[in-house]
Amino acid sequence: MEENVPAGRCVVAVDGPSGSGKSTVSRRLAASLTARYLDTGAMYRAITWAVLRSGVDLTDAEAVGKVAAEVDLRIGTDPTGYGVTADGVGVEAEIRGPEVTAAVSAVASVPAVRALLVARQRDMIAKAGRIVVEGRDIGSVVAPDADLKVYLTASAAARAARRSAEDASDVAATAADLARRDKIDSTRKADPLAQAPDAVVLDTTELGIDEVVAKLRVLLAERNVA
């Protein structure tokens, strides 16, 4: 997959809060475009895993930044099956666990961590040329010149239901955790979660994955980049 991406630039930035469908939509869209896929959230989660393993205080921005700078983070860009490693350890399952989920917003709020990963993400986008990138600041910060910027959203109830179904967790507890993370991510000083001014807003509350992907393909065709 990664060695056979066709020529022709196509950068799609997909932003939005947790549970809005970003990951599933982005992976499926990338596969349909024969493009690469980058889950920037997984990068922040992998750094968070490394920070937790190091034992440093999450409120010590300097220490957290030091861990981030030293960890050997690697992430694949194949939408059909990408891997994430930190210091040679496969952490795909670990970074989705409750411990990392509870701490990732705090780690992602550290300016040094964001500066490091944004630079890495921009480099990966430039090298790929044809890629779907998902996160919380892609259209506004990481790839402001993306061919298509999309902000996926959904009702709080729908987002909580989707996430609790994925994690087999309590819906009420999940809703509270999503609200907590949204507040942290949208109010942080460095690259907060925000809708880019020129992003297309798409409410996925009543839409299936295939419907969302189809709508995005239409938007790309209108821009002559699909």
Side-chain angles (χ1 to χ4, degrees), residues 9 11 26 38 56 61 119 123 125 128 144 150 166 187 189 195 211 222:
R9 181 182 186 276
V11 178
S26 296
L38 179 59
V56 304
D123 182 61
I125 292 169
V150 183
E166 293 174 359
T187 59
K189 294 182 178 179
Q195 174 192 328
E211 291 177 288
E222 291 174 350

Side-chain angles (χ1 to χ4, degrees), residues 148-223:
L148 173 64
K149 302 177 189 177
V150 183
Y151 190 87
L152 295 186
T153 186
S155 69
R159 292 170 51 215
R162 291 169 182 171
R163 186 50 54 89
S164 63
E166 293 174 359
D167 304 338
S169 56
D170 178 74
V171 175
T174 299
D177 184 59
L178 290 181
R180 176 190 65 82
R181 290 179 56 199
D182 287 346
K183 182 177 181 180
I184 294 174
D185 292 343
S186 61
T187 59
R188 66 185 177 226
K189 294 182 178 179
D191 306 339
L193 165 65
Q195 174 192 328
D198 54 346
V200 175
V201 180
L202 191 55
D203 189 323
T204 67
T205 302
E206 303 294 337
L207 297 175
I209 297 301
D210 290 338
E211 291 177 288
V212 177
V213 172
K215 287 179 179 292
L216 298 185
R217 288 298 303 262
V218 169
L219 291 171
L220 285 167
E222 291 174 350
R223 290 162 172 73

